[in-house]
Amino acid sequence: MSSSERKRVLVTRALFPEHLARLAGRFEVEANQEDLAWDAQELARRLVGKDGALITGGDRIDRGLIAQVPGLGAVCSISVGYNHVDLAACTAGGVMVTNTPDVLTETTADLGWALMMAAARHVTQSERWLRAGHWQRWALDQWLGQDVHHSTLGIIGMGRIGQAIARRARGFSMRVIYHNRTRVAPEAERALGATYVERQTLFATADHVILVLPYSAENHHMVGARELAWMQPHATLTNIARGGLIDEHALSEALAQGRLGAAGLDVFEGEPRVAPELLALSNVALTPHIGSASRATRNAMANLAIDNLCAALSGTRPPCLLNPEVLERRA
Ligand code: DGY
């Protein structure tokens, strides 16, 4: 195929070279291997004349942008979450949208587990103390944390990742309770050993609460002062979903005042900026949105996003199409 017949694709962030080579074998590619930060105007300018885009969770695709790029046929995100893409606007504009579920489930569940353990057992906090040279001798009452084994785990969001977390809990002999928009099938509950409870019961009962649900305008700050007040003072709260689920000011106050034991946060409302009041606290373990960050998983995510893009631009159904209405309308 001559280069003039090839579809034109924009890649908004730096890729592993093998993925860029895969794209270049098939499309006319404009890449951003320097990983420069593009503002909304720059992104729109570069998308003009493109057939498809490979994006990540940090790229906002909103109604205004879609209006400026009438030729765009597909937006393929290297992420499972797609709250950064206005799905309704894309559907109205005839733009297919895809994400990368499944391939990151186990890796993200691992990180959720690591953060919960770190929060419960002061792993990052005591390490900072050790590195600062404060460790003079062992003491019986040093860095006393909360047990994870045989405790109650409260999972909010029982999708793929929530279920993977529940499966891990069995190895720690935990009681698992969960809350989800829709209750999972009884066979799945039995297999996971998980009991459905109301939201307030979950917050009030769990020793460790973990958030694993998709973010939307409806659940913005679903953990605020009221929910934190329901929690037990020794409990931990871990968030590996999206920062906007938690009112970070209310969380910082609860942690500072000892109304909550500890928190583990991988995601933040204004990321990559982290609220100074969170940074100032010692009883919170912080990681920079690395839930899916293993080489194998990021590799699988990039390949799946490229599979989606190839299918979308060749007129076939992408494996992870979020708005099938676009294809149906084209048929
Ligand atoms: C996801 O896949 O949604 C991760 O949070 C990365 O954006």
Side-chain angles (χ1 to χ4, degrees), residues 234-263:
H234 69 262
T236 72
L237 174 68
T238 297
N239 188 9
I240 55 167
R242 285 292 181 268
L245 293 169
I246 297 182
D247 175 344
E248 290 173 352
H249 176 65
L251 174 62
S252 302
E253 288 205 321
L255 287 167
Q257 294 166 8
R259 288 186 281 111
L260 187 71

Side-chain angles (χ1 to χ4, degrees), residues 170-307:
R170 210 178 291 143
F172 286 73
S173 305
M174 294 174 94
R175 173 180 170 233
V176 179
I177 57 178
Y178 79 97
H179 186 79
N180 198 43
R181 216 171 16 174
T182 45
R183 198 170 161 166
V184 303
E187 317 80 71
E189 281 187 356
R190 266 195 302 280
L192 295 166
T195 305
Y196 177 85
V197 293
E198 290 305 325
R199 241 163 65 84
Q200 184 168 357
T201 307
L202 186 141
F203 280 107
T205 316
D207 299 299
H208 306 286
V209 173
I210 185 159
L211 306 181
V212 211
L213 68 167
Y215 172 76
S216 66
E218 290 71 48
N219 61 23
H220 180 71
H221 286 188
M222 64 158 295
V223 182
R226 183 181 61 152
E227 289 74 19
L228 291 163
W230 289 338
M231 292 180 73
Q232 308 181 74
H234 69 262
T236 72
L237 174 68
T238 297
N239 188 9
I240 55 167
R242 285 292 181 268
L245 293 169
I246 297 182
D247 175 344
E248 290 173 352
H249 176 65
L251 174 62
S252 302
E253 288 205 321
L255 287 167
Q257 294 166 8
R259 288 186 281 111
L260 187 71
L265 305 175
D266 185 48
V267 286
F268 305 88
E269 192 161 4
E271 65 183 55
R273 182 185 169 274
V274 177
E277 50 185 343
L278 279 176
L279 291 173
L281 289 165
S282 59
N283 52 346
V284 51
L286 306 169
T287 49
H289 201 146
I290 57 169
S292 60
S294 74
R295 175 74 200 214
T297 292
R298 288 284 166 85
N299 208 25
M301 290 167 73
N303 270 322
L304 183 52
I306 295 172
D307 292 346

Side-chain angles (χ1 to χ4, degrees), residues 117-160:
M117 298 278 289
R121 298 297 306 277
H122 307 305
V123 173
T124 54
Q125 191 181 356
S126 63
E127 195 211 358
R128 281 195 301 275
W129 179 83
L130 177 154
R131 283 180 187 273
H134 296 308
W135 194 23
Q136 301 301 327
R137 57 196 178 130
W138 185 92
L140 200 62
D141 62 351
Q142 226 163 45
W143 294 110
L144 303 180
Q146 285 301 318
D147 279 331
V148 171
H149 70 87
H150 294 92
S151 66
T152 298
L153 172 63
I155 303 175
I156 305 190
M158 201 45 126
R160 290 170 283 244

Side-chain angles (χ1 to χ4, degrees), residues 77-99:
S77 189
I78 309 176
S79 65
V80 66
Y82 52 91
N83 55 296
H84 53 295
V85 178
D86 184 333
L87 196 58
C90 286
T91 305
V95 181
M96 283 190 249
V97 181
T98 66
N99 67 342

